Amino acid sequence: MLAVLGVAVSAAMLLDMVMLATGMRQSLRSLLLSRGFQLRVAPKGTLPFDTEATLDSTSALAARLRANPDVVSVSPVLGGHVHVRPRSGDGAALTSVALGVESTVQGDYELLNGGDATADDALVVNDAFLAASHRRIGDSLTVAVDYDPQLRAYAGTRLMRLTGRARFLYLAAGQRAVAMPLATLQSLGGAARADRSSLVMVRAREGADVERTRLWIERTFPRSAAISTETAMRQVDERLSYFRQLAFILGSVSLIVGFLLVTTLVTVSVNERLGEIAVLRAIGVARHRVVTQIVLEGVAIMTVATPLGLALGLMTARWLNGILAAFPGLPEAIDFFLFQPSAAWASLGMLAVSGVLAGVYPSWRGASQPIATTLRQEAIG
Amino acid sequence: MNALTIAPGAPVLEAQSLRREYRMGDERVVAVQDVSLSIAAGEYAAIVGPSGCGKSTLLNLLGVIDRPTTGSVRIAGRQVESLSDAEATRFRLLHVGFVFQRFYLMPALSALENVELPMSEAGMARAERRARASELLGYVGLGKRERHRPSRLSGGEQQRVAVARALANRPSLLLADEPTGELDARTGTEMIALLERLSADGTTIVVVTHDEKLARATRRVVHMLDGRVERDEPVR
Ligand SMILES: Nc1ncnc2c1ncn2[C@@H]1O[C@H](COP(=O)(O)OP(=O)(O)OP(=O)(O)O)[C@@H](O)[C@H]1O
Ligand SMILES: [Mg+2]
C-alpha cells in the first residue's frame, strides 16, 4: 500500500512537471489568441505597453489596415493611467490602469454585466477598481489624467458614468483597471494624445497567411513593429526556457525515483518468493512466463497508483497555480500548470514504460536462479 | 498418455554413472558419485540415507532440475542431461511430476487453479484442463475444496493438491522429496496411502524420504551413503 502511494507521488510529480513544461506556454498562447487577434502592431523597438511610446495617426493606420483584404478587424488600444477620488470624501486619489478601446472590436476585456463603453462618457471597470473606489455601476465619477506636481493640477478631467463591470484579460488579478472609448482617453490627454494608440490589434481572415500580413504591415508602416502570436511565443519561449529546463530536470528525477521504487518493490517481492519461483520453474513453467507474471504484478501496482497520482498531481498543480497566480504583474488568465490530456498520456506512458523496464530485470534475475540450489536453501531456511 | 506408451517393466528412467560436484571456492564437494540406477515403468522406489548423503541432489538430477557434472540420464527414451534450459523446462512440464517437502502452491490461486497451472502452461484448452483438474482433486480426496485458496487448507490438504498438480500433465515419472516431511503422523499416513493408491494405479514413483513408514510402503529401497548407492533392495 505504501508502495502504491510512493509510485503515486512520483507519478503526480511527473505529471506536474509535464504540465509545467507545456502549460505556461499553452495558456499564454491561448490567452494571446483568446479574442482571435493574431497580430499586434506597436511602435518599433517596444513590446506592447512596455513603454510610453505610442503610434501616431492611428485612424489613418487603422484605415489602411482595414483596407487589406486579409484583415478582418482592427482594434486600436491606448494605454495609460487615470486617477479618481474615492467616494468617501477626500481620501487620496486612486490610480488605475486605463485602456482606451473601440468597444465593438476590443479584445482586452470580457464584460461581466452592465453596458459596454459605447457612449463617450461610459466607463467599464473591474472588480478591483470597484472595491477600491467604493463605486457601483450607474455611479458618476470624475476621472483625471496626468497630474502635474508643479502645477498641482491634472492635464485633463472628465465626468464619466460607470456603465459596466468586466474582467481584463491581460491584467493581474488585483490590478485596478478601467476601459473607455478610445477617443475619450485620447481627448483627455489633450494634443499630446490626439489620434495616438499604444497598440493596434489585428485579426487576419481565416486561412490568411498571418506571416505575410505581418510583413506587409512592417513594410507599409516602417515606424511600427508587427508581432504575431508566433513571434511573441518565440520570445516567450526564450524567456521560459529556464522554466522548462527546471521542469524537465525535476520530471526526470521523479521518473527515476519512480523507476527505482518499482525496481526495489519488484526485487523485494521476488526475493520473498524465490521458493515459489523455483517451484514454478521446477514444474516446468517457462522463465519468460514467470517474468511476465511478475512484471504484470508491477503493472498492476502502477495501474492502481496512476489514477491516484493523477488526482494528486492535479490537486498539487491547482494549489501551486493558486500561489503563482498571486504573483504581481502576471495576467490572471495565465496558468503555470495546464492540464492537457496529451500531457497526462505522456506521463502515463513514460511511467508505464519505466515501470515495465524496472520490473523486468529483477524478475528475470529471480527466475534465473539455479532451481536446485534455491529449493535447497528454501528448505533449510 | 505418456505413461501408457511405456510398457510395464520397461525402464522409464536410466541413470548412468552420475556424478555431481559443487564448487565452493577452492573446495570441491562431491554430492553424488558413481550412481547408476534404472527405474522401471510402474515401479515405486524410495531413496533413503543420512542427511547430506546426496538424496535430493540425485532426485534433482533424475528430474532434470539439475545437470550432472558427468554421466547421463535417460527418461522415457530421451537423453536429458544435455538439454538446454528451455528444453529441460518443457521436458519437466510434460514428463516429470514433482512434489516437494514444502508444498509450494501458488498462494493467489485456488486449489483448482493450482492444479490447472501446468496444463495451461502446456497449452491445454480451458474446459479440458478444468475438467481434469477437478477430476484430479476428486482423486486426491479434495473434490469439495476446489475453490479454496492454499491458506485455507491444512498441510495435508495442500500436499495433496501438490500431488494433483504433479499429475496434471500425466507425467512418465512422479518424483517426491520428503513428501511427508512437513506433515504430522496422521496426515503423513494419509499421504502414504495416497502414494500407494497412485502406485497401484500404475504411476511410476520415486520418493526421497527419512520416513520409515513411507520407505516401507514402497517396493524398493535405495540406500545412499556419501553420495553413492550403498544398497539397493526390494521391500519384502
Ligand atoms: N548448491 C550446493 N552447493 C554446495 N553444496 C551443496 C549444494 N547442494 C548440495 N550440496 C552438498 O551436497 C551434499 C548432498 O546434499 P543433499 O541436499 O543432496 O543431501 P540430502 O541427502 O538431500 O540431505 P537431507 O536429508 O538433509 O535433505 C551435501 O554435503 C551438501 O552440503
Ligand atoms: Mg534433501
Side-chain angles (χ1 to χ4, degrees):
Chain A
M1 206 49 231
L2 229 57
V4 170
L5 207 66
V7 176
V9 167
S10 106
M13 178 99 172
L14 181 64
L15 177 67
D16 279 355
M17 290 308 134
V18 174
M19 280 166 74
L20 182 60
T22 56
M24 196 159 168
R25 182 175 200 284
Q26 271 308 318
S27 69
L28 198 64
R29 186 188 161 79
S30 52
L31 177 62
L32 287 175
L33 286 174
S34 62
R35 286 307 168 91
F37 293 100
Q38 305 99 325
L39 286 164
R40 285 158 174 77
V41 185
K44 204 165 196 146
T46 70
L47 276 178
F49 296 119
D50 255 13
T51 64
E52 291 290 300
T54 50
L55 295 159
D56 56 21
S57 320
T58 300
S59 30
L61 185 136
R64 281 290 292 278
L65 287 172
R66 283 191 190 100
N68 185 318
D70 277 347
V71 171
V72 176
S73 70
V74 175
S75 171
V77 185
L78 177 62
H81 288 93
V82 294
H83 313 277
V84 297
R85 281 197 180 288
R87 189 192 197 93
S88 47
D90 26 25
L94 207 67
T95 303
S96 159
V97 169
L99 297 179
V101 298
E102 286 178 6
S103 62
T104 47
V105 289
Q106 63 82 20
D108 283 280
Y109 60 82
E110 218 173 66
L111 196 65
L112 299 174
N113 53 31
D116 212 337
T118 39
D120 269 1
D121 64 344
L123 203 61
V124 168
V125 304
N126 69 357
D127 285 340
F129 181 92
L130 285 175
S133 65
H134 304 289
R135 307 280 177 170
R136 278 184 312 200
I137 293 172
D139 286 358
S140 290
L141 69 170
T142 304
V143 302
V145 297
D146 302 339
Y147 182 73
D148 186 329
Q150 247 117 60
L151 298 175
R152 292 175 169 249
Y154 293 104
T157 59
R158 176 160 190 167
L159 184 67
M160 299 196 70
R161 211 164 40 77
L162 217 158
T163 57
R165 186 177 138 248
R167 191 172 71 86
F168 286 73
L169 300 176
Y170 299 100
L171 295 179
Q175 208 170 359
R176 294 185 287 274
V178 305
M180 63 184 83
L182 176 63
T184 309
L185 190 60
Q186 284 172 342
S187 68
L188 262 173
R193 290 227 186 86
D195 208 21
R196 297 240 166 206
S197 62
S198 311
L199 168 76
V200 177
M201 300 206 281
V202 175
R203 184 185 305 149
R205 174 177 57 79
E206 202 162 326
D209 183 345
V210 174
E211 183 58 20
R212 216 186 67 195
T213 314
R214 191 184 76 78
L215 291 172
W216 172 80
I217 294 173
E218 294 210 323
R219 250 184 291 115
T220 316
F221 310 100
R223 274 181 297 142
S224 71
I227 303 155
S228 68
T229 307
E230 301 315 318
T231 36
M233 287 317 296
R234 230 170 292 138
Q235 289 174 3
V236 165
D237 276 349
E238 277 164 27
R239 295 187 186 192
L240 285 186
S241 75
Y242 168 73
F243 246 111
R244 271 180 293 123
Q245 270 170 30
L246 189 80
F248 178 77
I249 291 167
L250 290 180
S252 310
V253 167
S254 56
L255 197 63
I256 291 169
V257 168
F259 182 88
L260 292 179
L261 205 61
V262 173
T263 310
T264 313
L265 278 176
V266 175
T267 306
V268 167
S269 122
V270 163
N271 286 345
E272 252 171 28
R273 295 190 301 182
L274 281 178
E276 211 178 280
I277 292 169
V279 168
L280 279 175
R281 299 275 296 120
I283 66 173
V285 178
R287 192 189 323 217
H288 67 89
R289 290 261 303 207
V290 175
V291 172
T292 310
Q293 185 59 40
I294 298 169
V295 169
L296 278 180
E297 284 168 29
V299 170
I301 293 180
M302 295 288 239
T303 314
V304 178
T306 305
L308 212 68
L310 216 68
L312 208 65
L314 287 177
M315 266 156 52
T316 329
R318 180 168 299 181
W319 178 63
L320 289 174
N321 234 345
I323 294 178
L324 292 172
F327 245 64
L330 272 179
E332 202 176 349
I334 288 283
D335 281 327
F336 283 84
F337 298 87
L338 186 70
F339 180 79
Q340 292 166 286
S342 65
W345 285 120
S347 41
L348 219 77
M350 285 192 272
L351 221 60
V353 169
S354 75
V356 169
L357 288 181
V360 166
Y361 172 69
S363 50
W364 182 263
R365 215 200 35 159
S368 303
Q369 298 286 319
I371 302 166
T373 308
T374 309
L375 285 174
R376 191 184 138 77
Q377 278 159 358
E378 288 284 313
I380 294 167
Chain B
M1 149 183 74
N2 298 304
L4 295 180
T5 56
I6 297 163
V12 171
L13 182 150
E14 282 180 287
Q16 279 291 323
S17 321
L18 287 181
R19 180 183 181 86
R20 177 66 165 106
E21 296 172 1
Y22 290 105
R23 218 167 271 284
M24 313 248 313
D26 288 343
E27 260 186 87
R28 266 195 320 193
V29 180
V30 180
V32 166
Q33 55 189 323
D34 284 334
V35 173
S36 294
L37 196 66
S38 175
I39 303 287
E43 201 164 5
Y44 183 14
I47 300 174
V48 301
S51 185
C53 70
K55 305 184 294 295
S56 297
T57 304
L58 177 59
L59 197 74
N60 290 338
L61 292 174
L62 300 183
V64 209
I65 280 181
D66 196 6
R67 213 176 282 187
T69 310
T70 58
S72 66
V73 179
R74 192 178 178 82
I75 299 174
R78 179 106 182 254
Q79 218 58 48
V80 295
E81 71 280 353
S82 54
L83 293 179
S84 74
D85 182 77
E87 289 167 335
T89 304
R90 192 72 187 167
F91 188 86
R92 290 195 297 272
L93 178 70
L94 298 177
H95 298 281
V96 186
F98 282 102
V99 175
F100 302 95
Q101 176 170 352
R102 301 190 168 184
F103 334 115
Y104 282 126
L105 302 174
M106 297 304 120
L109 303 181
S110 69
L112 193 73
E113 290 162 340
N114 264 287
V115 179
E116 275 185 66
L117 187 91
M119 295 186 270
S120 98
E121 181 72 12
M124 192 185 287
R126 190 188 176 82
E128 196 186 340
R129 64 177 198 243
R130 264 282 124 106
R132 175 153 173 82
S134 186
E135 187 191 331
L136 282 167
L137 282 177
Y139 184 87
V140 300
L142 291 171
K144 296 213 173 79
R145 316 295 298 270
E146 287 183 358
R147 301 267 147 230
H148 290 200
R149 295 274 172 95
S151 56
R152 294 182 52 198
L153 300 173
S154 73
E157 287 165 340
Q158 288 185 53
Q159 192 61 303
R160 280 186 276 158
V161 175
V163 170
R165 179 178 68 182
L167 296 172
N169 286 326
R170 301 174 214 270
S172 316
L173 188 62
L174 179 66
L175 303 179
D177 196 345
E178 308 277 9
T180 59
E182 302 250 318
L183 304 179
D184 61 28
R186 191 176 60 78
T187 49
T189 308
E190 284 171 13
M191 181 51 55
I192 293 169
L194 174 59
L195 290 172
E196 277 202 272
R197 183 147 59 92
L198 277 172
S199 169
D201 290 345
T203 311
T204 310
I205 308 174
V206 178
V207 294
V208 160
T209 188
H210 277 120
D211 185 340
E212 283 283 326
K213 278 202 288 182
L214 173 53
R216 259 187 275 118
T218 64
R219 305 285 110 74
R220 171 183 173 190
V221 178
V222 178
H223 294 266
M224 284 186 74
L225 191 63
D226 293 337
R228 298 172 195 271
V229 174
E230 190 202 29
R231 249 180 320 135
D232 185 345
E233 56 189 14
V235 175
R236 293 155 301 271

